[in-house]
């Protein structure tokens, strides 16, 4: 059964804008891959990889894609003894707005899809064939 529409709208509203500051124990992480049912492997700014859980309020409401960003609470599951290192506290949906926050990690720079100026772009060019390959 789908969640009530008001619950979906409240969850969406919560993820649109970043908070003024992150609480103690929370940090931004990049989603590396889905690791199971509501479990995700994420990369912290320190390049460490941890396993986190998606809380029930986000399930079937907000979709988490590989390469997107989430706010991870590493102290949320401290009392549980298992392989989980934290819980997703928030999902970054409007990345452009979140990047302007003072706590955005410098390690997560925006990747450009355009080639660098010193590179020779090969998009739209035919591959070069040499006569030596026919021999």
């Amino acid at each position: 059964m789908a969640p009530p529409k008001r619950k979906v709208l409240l969850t969406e509203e919560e993820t649109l804008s970043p908070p003024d500051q992150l609480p103690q124990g929370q940090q931004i992480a990049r989603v590396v891959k889905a690791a199971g049912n509501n479990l995700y492997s994420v990369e912290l700014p320190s390049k460490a990889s941890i396993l986190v859980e998606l809380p029930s309020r986000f399930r079937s409401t907000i979709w988490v894609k590989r390469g997107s960003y989430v706010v991870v609470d590493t102290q949320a599951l401290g009392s549980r003894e298992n392989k989980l290192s934290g819980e997703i506290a928030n999902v970054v949906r409007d990345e452009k707005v979140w990047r302007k926050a003072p706590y955005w990690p410098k390690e997560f720079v925006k990747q450009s899809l355009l080639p660098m100026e010193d590179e020779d772009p090969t998009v739209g060019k035919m591959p070069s064939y040499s006569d030596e390959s026919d021999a």
Side-chain angles (χ1 to χ4, degrees):
M1 187 163 98
K5 187 169 184 160
R6 64 180 163 74
K7 179 185 173 200
V8 171
L9 293 174
L10 285 173
T11 305
E12 286 180 356
E13 181 70 26
E14 179 184 342
T15 60
L16 280 179
S17 59
D20 294 332
Q21 60 183 1
L22 289 179
Q24 183 69 25
Q26 292 187 1
Q27 56 184 319
I28 296 178
R30 180 184 300 133
V31 177
V32 177
K33 65 179 179 177
N37 194 15
N38 300 312
L39 299 176
Y40 294 90
S41 176
V42 298
E43 179 185 35
L44 299 175
S46 63
K47 301 293 182 198
S49 183
I50 62 172
L51 187 65
V52 295
E53 181 180 27
L54 185 69
S56 60
R57 69 174 188 220
F58 292 124
R59 297 176 189 167
S60 300
T61 304
I62 304 294
W63 302 108
V64 180
K65 298 185 298 185
R66 183 181 52 214
S68 64
Y69 296 95
V70 293
V71 178
V72 175
D73 188 355
T74 55
Q75 297 175 346
L77 302 177
S79 61
R80 292 170 50 178
E81 293 188 21
N82 55 19
K83 59 185 177 181
L84 295 176
S85 300
E87 180 180 65
I88 296 175
N90 205 342
V91 179
V92 175
R93 293 195 42 225
D94 190 358
E95 188 180 325
K96 187 175 182 179
V97 174
W98 280 75
R99 284 188 177 276
K100 295 176 184 176
Y103 49 79
W104 187 269
K106 304 290 185 239
E107 293 83 2
F108 294 144
V109 295
K110 182 127 175 104
Q111 299 294 326
S112 174
L113 298 176
L114 299 175
M116 300 299 284
E117 292 180 11
D118 56 345
E119 293 179 6
D120 183 28
T122 58
V123 176
K125 293 184 178 180
M126 294 292 292
S128 62
Y129 295 103
S130 64
D131 292 336
E132 298 170 2
S133 64
D134 294 337

